[in-house]
Amino acid sequence: MTPDEPETLVLHLRAARLKARELAVAEVVALLRDLDAQPANGGPLAETRGVAWVSLPAEHKATAAARLCRLGYSEAVDIVESPGDEHPERPVRLTRWRRRAVALRSVYSEPDPLLREDAPDRRTFLLQCGDGMVRPVVGYRGGGRVLEHRALPVVDARLLVNLVHAPNRGVLLDPYAGAGGVVLEAVRAGWSTVSLDSDPSLRFGLAAFGAQHLVADATALPLRPRSVDAVATEPPYHRSAKHDVSASIGEMARVLRPGGRASLLVAADQLEGLTEAGRAHGFQLDLATAVDRKGTAVACLVMTR
Ligand SMILES: C[S@@+](CC[C@H](N)C(=O)[O-])C[C@H]1O[C@@H](n2cnc3c(N)ncnc32)[C@H](O)[C@@H]1O
């Protein structure tokens, strides 16, 4: 590549999120926002399923490569180089792009099986059981009632945390913390994490994941205005929760500092109402898109205060 040409990153999407290209790109762009990363329209391997591209100025190549870790929707990322530039210690794949030979050097790779250990069905969660005793439960996936479906897949939890990435981190709030998927990822990404859930039986498990935990209502957050730097969360999907989830958007706006971001994975039929609520509470809308995956129809919403 010539020195003034932007660098191209090639993202290889995870098998379970092969069609979620917009979100996979948004995740990497968010992680590299301060390095001027941008979605790119094309790149090598265009004929391959589940590939997407991000470009960034050449001077940020090394910083960007070092920063990519714990990705949700991409299982691997390559950087495009001239065939002579390869680093012998990194795997390289040769291909052609724009009528010339290029080398794809791997800068991130974390195949799905490596995520299995952190998956909700393998994790241990400290749960207060019906008899009042607190017990470690392996594979706890949430209660069965309509407002209680929990245990987000690791890839979605990572996506939500990465979409609100800030170079200096700070305090991240999950006001619908459930079985703690987002909380675990936020702690691991270096955030001081505040988790909140109205269900008191979750308080030991969430605190054990390293969060400061509050048993409270997301529609009346016991937090000072502008006291958190980011929100990442998955509110309840059920129709009966629509009103409360909308009301909690106003609370997120109140406690977020100006410039802070909120990422939400929501039921698809809540998206329009929540987008409106976000605008009404002074949020700028960054992204509102359906997530192409199996199961309940969901959408991802990202807003800036
Ligand atoms: C979809 S689950 C969150 C799942 C979580 N992301 C995970 O990975 O386990 C929604 C959670 O919101 C909680 N919840 C429901 N209404 C609430 C409210 N008004 N305030 C706070 N938490 C609430 C439920 O107890 C449930 O744990």
Side-chain angles (χ1 to χ4, degrees):
M1 306 292 104
T2 58
D4 52 349
E5 232 180 305
E7 298 291 340
T8 301
L9 299 175
V10 182
L11 318 184
H12 301 265
L13 275 57
R14 295 193 186 277
R17 299 291 180 272
L18 270 188
K19 295 184 189 161
R21 295 172 86 233
E22 186 185 1
L23 284 167
V25 167
E27 180 184 17
V28 170
V29 167
L31 284 169
L32 307 178
R33 198 187 322 268
D34 58 318
L35 305 179
D36 295 329
Q38 304 283 342
N41 286 332
L45 307 182
E47 69 290 352
T48 309
R49 243 183 120 216
V51 166
W53 307 274
V54 167
S55 70
L56 79 157
E59 70 264 29
H60 296 317
K61 171 175 157 178
T63 319
R67 197 178 291 171
L68 293 174
C69 64
R70 305 191 69 77
L71 295 183
Y73 278 20
S74 297
E75 69 165 5
V77 179
D78 301 328
I79 198 155
V80 180
E81 296 185 336
S82 299
D85 297 344
E86 304 108 71
H87 296 220
E89 73 279 8
R90 290 288 201 157
V92 159
R93 169 177 177 177
L94 296 174
T95 185
R96 291 190 68 77
W97 180 43
R98 292 177 175 160
R99 297 184 186 163
R100 62 183 168 178
V102 292
L104 305 183
R105 179 167 62 90
S106 170
V107 290
Y108 170 76
S109 173
E110 197 181 10
D112 287 351
L114 293 182
L115 306 185
R116 289 295 302 136
E117 282 315 302
D118 280 344
D121 58 336
R122 299 262 182 109
R123 300 198 292 257
T124 301
F125 189 81
L126 278 182
L127 185 71
Q128 186 169 37
C129 303
D131 59 4
M133 296 293 290
V134 178
R135 296 192 179 83
V137 178
V138 179
Y140 177 68
R141 310 197 61 175
R145 288 190 294 251
V146 291
L147 299 185
E148 289 182 0
H149 297 297
R150 305 180 183 114
L152 197 58
V154 174
V155 298
D156 296 312
R158 284 186 176 189
L159 174 83
L160 291 177
V161 171
N162 288 336
L163 284 171
V164 297
H165 173 79
N168 299 325
R169 311 298 191 281
V171 176
L172 181 147
L173 168 71
D174 180 352
Y176 294 100
V182 170
V183 170
L184 263 183
E185 289 304 326
V187 169
R188 285 176 181 166
W191 291 92
S192 290
T193 308
V194 177
S195 60
L196 187 140
D197 202 288
S198 54
D199 179 348
S201 70
L202 307 175
R203 65 192 187 282
F204 300 98
L206 287 163
F209 281 168
Q212 183 199 331
H213 183 64
L214 304 166
V215 178
D217 188 336
T219 65
L221 293 173
L223 296 168
R224 281 180 289 112
R226 302 180 187 155
S227 57
V228 312
D229 301 284
V231 173
T233 195
E234 182 200 20
Y237 294 166
H238 195 262
R239 231 173 278 121
S240 62
K242 229 173 183 173
H243 179 265
D244 278 4
V245 176
S246 254
S248 70
I249 296 284
E251 280 295 86
M252 292 176 204
R254 183 180 67 77
V255 302
L256 255 180
R257 67 160 172 78
R261 289 193 168 76
S263 64
L264 292 87
L265 197 69
V266 301
D269 64 4
Q270 291 179 359
L271 183 63
E272 202 181 321
L274 297 184
T275 307
E276 273 169 28
R279 288 209 179 94
H281 288 287
F283 273 114
Q284 170 204 303
L285 185 66
D286 300 329
L287 182 78
T289 187
V291 182
D292 203 325
R293 59 166 214 179
K294 286 188 189 147
T296 315
V298 294
C300 183
L301 179 60
V302 184
M303 305 181 290
T304 304
R305 185 72 182 96

